[in-house]
Structure formats: structure tokens, C-alpha cells
Amino acid sequence: MNAEMITMIYAYTAVGVGVILAAAGLGSAIGWGLICSKTLEGIARQPELRPTLMTNMFIFAGLMESFPFIILAFAMWFLFANPFIGAAASAVKAAVGS
């Protein structure tokens, strides 16, 4: 396994991490928008349920907000403890050995 292969693996991993983080951010933003819009629609239809709907909105918003941080943890794992380097090294070793 030469330096060019390792560089390419890190480059493709960085591009993949960028796409993953962009998708997580976009998904979170869309989720926030849908949660808030549906809560406002519910309050407009039944104003007496406002406390219940706001409580539910904040619970689901917290769950929605945790999603990008979980994705960020996986992205950092791919970036700094790249599992593809070890897999590629063992594949090259197996190909050379047989």
C-alpha cells in the first residue's frame, strides 16, 4: 500500500464526511421547520391545547437537535480513526500473499 492509495482513501473519506454533515444539517433544518409549523397549525386550530403542543414540540425538537451531533460523532470517527485504511491494508496484504 503506497502513499497515493492512503491519500486517496483520506480524500474520499473527507468528501463523504462533508456530504454526511451537509445531509444531517439539512435534515435537521427541515425537521425543525416541520415541527414548528405543525405545532403552530395545531395551536391555531385548538388554542386550548397550546401547553401540551408546546411541550411536545420541545421534546421532539430536542430529539431532532441531537441527530446532527450523533452524525458529527460518526463523522469524526471516520475522519480521525479511519477504518478504511486498515481494511485496505489487509486487502492489499491478502492480494499480495495469494
Side-chain angles (χ1 to χ4, degrees), residues 31-32 35 39 53-66:
W32 264 104
I35 289 169
T39 301
L53 291 173
M54 292 297 282
T55 302
N56 286 342
M57 181 191 80
F58 286 126
I59 289 171
F60 288 119
L63 292 173
M64 181 58 61
E65 192 64 28
S66 68

Side-chain angles (χ1 to χ4, degrees), residues 42-51 53:
I43 292 171
R45 288 183 184 171
Q46 294 181 328
E48 67 274 4
L49 289 179
R50 183 180 185 272
L53 291 173

Side-chain angles (χ1 to χ4, degrees), residues 9-53:
I9 290 172
Y10 276 117
Y12 292 144
T13 302
V15 170
V17 163
V19 170
I20 288 170
L21 291 175
L26 182 65
S28 180
I30 291 171
W32 264 104
L34 288 174
I35 289 169
C36 293
S37 71
K38 297 300 178 181
T39 301
L40 290 175
E41 285 178 15
I43 292 171
R45 288 183 184 171
Q46 294 181 328
E48 67 274 4
L49 289 179
R50 183 180 185 272
T52 306
L53 291 173

Side-chain angles (χ1 to χ4, degrees), residues 2-15 82 85:
N2 57 13
E4 185 178 337
M5 282 180 72
I6 293 173
T7 304
M8 292 303 291
I9 290 172
Y10 276 117
Y12 292 144
T13 302
V15 170
N82 198 333
I85 296 294

